[in-house]
Amino acid sequence: MRRPTIKGSSAPPAKPASRGAAKHAPPAFRPVQLAKLVDTVPPGDRWIHEMKYDGYRILVAVGGGEARAYTRSGLDWSGRFPSILAEARKLKVRSALIDGEAIVTDAEGRSSFQALQNALKGAPTSIDFYAFDLLQLDGEDLTRLPLLERKEKLEAILPAKSPILRYSDHIQGRGEELLNRFCDAGLEGVISKLADSGYVGARDGSWLKIKCIKRQEFVLVGWTPSDKDRAFRSLILGVHDGGKLRYAGKVGTGFNAAGMARLMKTMAPLEQKAATVEAPRAEVRRAHWLRPSLVAEIAFTEMTNEGTLRHPSYLGLREDKKPEAVVLETEHRTATLPPPATSAVAISNRGRVIYPESNITKGQLADHYADVAAIMLPWAGSRPISLVRCPQGRAKKCFFQKHDAGSFGDKVHHVGITEKDGHEEPYLYVDDAEGLVTCVQMGTIEFHGWGARIEDVEKADRLVFDLDPDEGLNFEAVRAAAFQFRDILKSLGLTTFPMLTGGKGVHVIAPLTPRAEWPEVKAFASRLAQAVAQSDPAHFTAVLSKAKRKGRIFVDYLRNQRGATAIMAYSARSRPGAPVAAPVTWAEMKTIDAPSHFHVGDAPELKKRAASKALAGWGRADQFLPDL
């Protein structure tokens, strides 16, 4: 097989970094652990409790003399935090990935989101960083270690008396007492974390948040004019509820004259004639409507039965969050939460046979997803998904589903995504074991995910090349093709990882720091696939038609476009024998027998493999889409 040349290349391929250099480069961005909102502090010594800061969540990556700062959605904000990164570069480590919060304290010593907003505009050296978790140290992935061990290692690498890099301390037990003290002092609240929990990178229930005052993000959908000498009377707010953007009230306090002037300048290019949300006519009279692009942090006392805010106050714009990811936060009851990475979802008809040829039941399939939840959620959680549902078993009628009319209940969530014609549709996503198992209860076998997370659905966080062989080809041809794609992408500067699909083929996956948008990603994937097919037409085709696939491998680049999905790691397949999609190493690819090597029932082995050194760092790389 010949290596292709890419027509129209405007830049030479990036040289892949040497192994030694890559080892000490700043670690790649990875999805952050998120906290569930609950009503009370969890009791007992199994939980530790930290201050809830009022700032921007950032990951600080250091290595090889460099330092970077990423937002929770993967945006590179290194330029906004120069003093934090200058201090981080001094840390006595080869490399580290630190999770924490960038904050500014007010005159009373409290973290203030508004003060942070002002500092970002003119005084970035006044911003401090409170570190509360350590995900990687000197090339070692720490996310499977218990939280207290990670915090111990974190405290050891931070300077004892730095005015900028600070360790976020905690207490074990007595969380209710701490919350009362914080609320009395006018602080935001408490984050409670299971002391022995790993870092999953999803909202799995091992981190909980308890707030002193209600506040969350809302989408700015318009503004109403003022009869007085001020820029506007109020901002009109929206929030995604059930996957649809709806009216959430108005906010008219919390502004000063300079802030209002800045907002008017920011909102002006976003004006549109059509109403952005349905709202009572009397409340939005003379409204100027906006395209839903801006996100604001709002404090309020409560939400009325009509779904609007009582006594809201504007705190500032949130540039780190996309409007699609702004959903109505619902408060869970701490007393009824199941343990993290477990499910209390009742499975009906547990004995129903889903795989007739191997006699695997619905109950066994549900147990598989409950067992692998902790290793599956880093890849499938907080990502728009499509489900393959087979309510009567895999041998009977199956269908794809990506929207929900409400039948899945509150364990399966919705993110509103704008379709080509401009209207918004609710797409499904899950972020805990209960969500996965609820889908199985509703007849799901397979989970397919977008190539982007809900934090920013317009920016891809991976490239997937699905190598799909013609019926007559054996696995040896697929194996050779996977290695060829690895080498081609390596020559372009991209690190890749193989995944057995559980079907007929292999996925060659190149993780991306989310920066490139879908048109650019699709164009890159298409041109690469076409170049491979033109260079080696005897072995490859980039044409979808099965008639054109005879004796060749179809390079399915169409996974790399907006709305397209690919099978998720550790998902079962609706195929004979109940195979499971599974990550493997390139060393294993040399000898693995089939893409259906792993099956439902192999959860203990899959979990052991995921925790192994060989698969540490699988699917993670700090890299961007190269120029072609």
Side-chain angles (χ1 to χ4, degrees):
M1 298 184 188
R2 300 189 305 275
R3 179 166 300 176
T5 55
I6 314 296
K7 292 181 182 177
S9 175
S10 59
K15 290 183 180 178
S18 71
R19 251 180 116 177
K23 193 171 185 180
H24 302 311
F29 166 79
R30 61 187 301 159
V32 298
Q33 188 82 3
L34 298 172
K36 283 188 177 180
L37 178 65
V38 294
D39 57 350
T40 59
V41 178
D45 289 342
R46 295 172 59 239
W47 296 87
I48 68 166
H49 311 282
E50 300 172 348
M51 182 183 292
K52 187 177 190 304
Y53 299 102
D54 190 6
Y56 272 137
R57 178 82 172 272
I58 60 171
L59 288 178
V60 171
V62 296
E66 298 179 53
R68 294 179 192 148
Y70 294 108
T71 69
R72 56 186 285 170
S73 61
L75 296 173
D76 189 335
W77 274 17
S78 301
R80 302 196 184 197
F81 303 109
S83 56
I84 292 174
L85 298 189
E87 288 295 307
R89 280 191 286 271
K90 299 175 187 176
L91 293 176
K92 299 186 186 314
V93 297
R94 292 195 298 276
S95 65
L97 186 61
I98 304 169
D99 191 1
E101 193 104 354
I103 69 162
V104 172
T105 52
D106 62 16
E108 275 118 24
R110 296 176 298 213
S111 59
S112 164
F113 185 69
Q114 288 174 316
L116 174 63
Q117 295 283 78
N118 294 333
L120 284 168
K121 292 179 178 71
T125 56
S126 65
I127 302 173
D128 299 334
F129 180 65
Y130 275 82
F132 47 66
D133 214 325
L134 182 62
L135 315 188
Q136 194 251 52
L137 179 62
D138 295 341
E140 182 184 357
D141 185 349
L142 307 182
T143 56
R144 298 192 184 279
L145 291 181
L147 171 60
L148 285 181
E149 283 190 38
R150 300 198 306 274
K151 289 204 72 173
E152 186 178 335
K153 291 178 183 289
L154 172 64
E155 188 174 17
I157 67 169
L158 292 174
K161 296 181 179 179
S162 170
I164 295 173
L165 295 187
R166 303 169 186 241
Y167 175 70
S168 179
D169 215 337
H170 62 269
I171 66 166
Q172 195 155 1
R174 307 194 323 278
E176 192 67 41
E177 176 187 328
L178 186 68
L179 178 66
N180 291 335
R181 287 209 328 260
F182 284 174
C183 292
D184 289 345
L187 300 173
E188 194 182 350
V190 164
I191 297 287
S192 300
K193 304 175 181 179
L194 271 176
D196 62 353
S197 61
Y199 191 104
V200 176
R203 205 183 303 270
D204 71 337
S206 60
W207 290 18
L208 308 176
K209 56 185 173 184
I210 308 93
K211 296 182 178 181
C212 296
I213 58 169
K214 296 182 188 299
R215 56 187 286 176
Q216 76 155 84
E217 301 91 357
F218 290 88
V219 183
L220 299 190
V221 295
W223 57 275
T224 59
S226 174
D227 297 328
K228 301 175 183 176
D229 186 21
R230 56 184 268 168
F232 55 81
R233 182 178 184 182
S234 61
L235 300 176
I236 306 171
L237 305 175
V239 67
H240 287 98
D241 189 357
K244 295 284 188 180
L245 187 64
R246 68 158 176 84
Y247 176 66
K250 298 180 294 183
V251 58
T253 62
F255 315 100
N256 57 30
M260 294 179 88
R262 280 197 301 269
L263 271 171
M264 287 298 286
K265 187 175 180 181
T266 303
M267 293 188 297
L270 301 175
E271 289 210 18
Q272 62 180 25
K273 288 186 179 179
T276 313
V277 294
E278 293 181 14
R281 186 175 299 176
E283 294 195 26
V284 293
R285 189 173 287 115
R286 297 166 55 210
H288 293 247
W289 296 103
L290 305 174
R291 293 197 307 275
S293 302
L294 301 175
V295 175
E297 182 96 2
I298 308 292
F300 56 99
T301 55
E302 63 177 331
M303 187 165 279
T304 68
N305 292 335
E306 291 75 34
T308 58
L309 304 183
R310 194 184 297 279
H311 305 305
S313 180
Y314 174 85
L315 300 176
L317 290 180
R318 300 281 323 210
E319 297 178 65
D320 62 334
K321 199 159 188 179
K322 294 291 182 178
E324 296 89 353
V326 175
V327 298
L328 185 64
E329 264 197 319
T330 54
E331 197 172 72
H332 300 265
R333 291 189 59 215
T334 303
T336 61
L337 286 177
T342 64
S343 170
V345 174
I347 299 296
S348 61
N349 302 308
R350 282 186 62 90
R352 176 183 291 157
V353 174
I354 300 296
Y355 294 90
E357 65 290 323
S358 47
N359 214 33
I360 289 174
T361 65
K362 181 181 179 183
Q364 289 171 301
L365 183 62
D367 292 345
H368 164 78
Y369 281 112
D371 285 347
V372 301
I375 58 175
M376 183 173 178
L377 286 169
W379 312 110
S382 298
R383 185 181 297 275
I385 53 172
S386 294
L387 309 173
V388 174
R389 293 178 63 192
C390 309
Q392 300 303 316
R394 72 150 212 93
K396 297 189 177 177
K397 184 180 179 182
C398 298
F399 56 92
F400 262 97
Q401 181 170 352
K402 59 184 177 180
H403 305 305
D404 174 27
S407 58
F408 282 79
D410 61 0
K411 308 297 184 189
V412 178
H413 312 298
H414 309 93
V415 57
I417 296 178
T418 304
E419 303 283 28
K420 287 180 182 177
D421 62 2
H423 83 285
E424 197 172 68
E425 284 287 347
Y427 281 71
L428 301 169
Y429 75 93
V430 297
D431 55 18
D432 57 18
E434 295 222 306
L436 291 171
V437 177
T438 294
C439 292
V440 178
Q441 164 60 12
M442 298 298 292
T444 298
I445 293 181
E446 299 186 4
F447 291 81
H448 297 247
W450 276 45
R453 289 171 57 87
I454 63 167
E455 291 92 349
D456 193 344
V457 297
E458 304 303 336
K459 293 188 175 71
D461 70 347
R462 64 179 189 187
L463 275 170
V464 177
F465 289 96
D466 180 4
L467 305 179
D468 190 5
D470 184 38
E471 294 291 344
L473 289 178
N474 61 25
F475 186 57
E476 289 306 316
V478 178
R479 190 196 317 277
F483 279 101
Q484 184 171 357
F485 261 82
R486 179 198 67 176
D487 293 344
I488 292 168
L489 289 164
K490 185 178 180 182
S491 74
L492 296 171
L494 291 174
T495 298
T496 56
F497 303 88
M499 187 181 80
L500 305 178
T501 64
K504 298 183 299 176
V506 168
H507 285 178
V508 177
I509 301 170
L512 298 173
T513 299
R515 184 172 70 179
E517 298 197 351
W518 287 116
E520 185 183 355
V521 172
K522 182 182 178 183
F524 175 92
S526 170
R527 289 168 66 183
L528 183 64
Q530 304 280 359
V532 170
Q534 291 168 15
S535 178
D536 195 354
H539 295 98
F540 295 104
T541 178
V543 180
L544 182 60
S545 166
K546 291 205 171 183
K548 301 280 180 76
R549 204 182 298 188
K550 294 291 183 186
R552 295 184 289 179
I553 291 171
F554 171 49
V555 182
D556 187 354
Y557 66 89
L558 298 171
R559 310 283 178 186
N560 303 293
Q561 61 182 331
R562 190 180 192 271
T565 60
I567 193 70
M568 292 281 89
Y570 306 109
S571 173
R573 304 303 305 267
S574 57
R575 292 173 172 270
V580 171
V584 292
T585 67
W586 283 114
E588 289 174 314
M589 267 301 298
K590 294 176 182 176
T591 57
I592 201 100
D593 58 338
S596 55
H597 180 86
F598 297 99
H599 304 83
V600 170
D602 290 339
E605 182 183 355
L606 290 169
K607 289 193 290 184
K608 185 177 178 181
R609 285 173 50 80
S612 69
K613 283 190 175 181
L615 284 175
W618 185 95
R620 309 282 184 203
D622 183 21
Q623 56 193 13
F624 301 97
L625 196 71
D627 292 329
L628 279 184

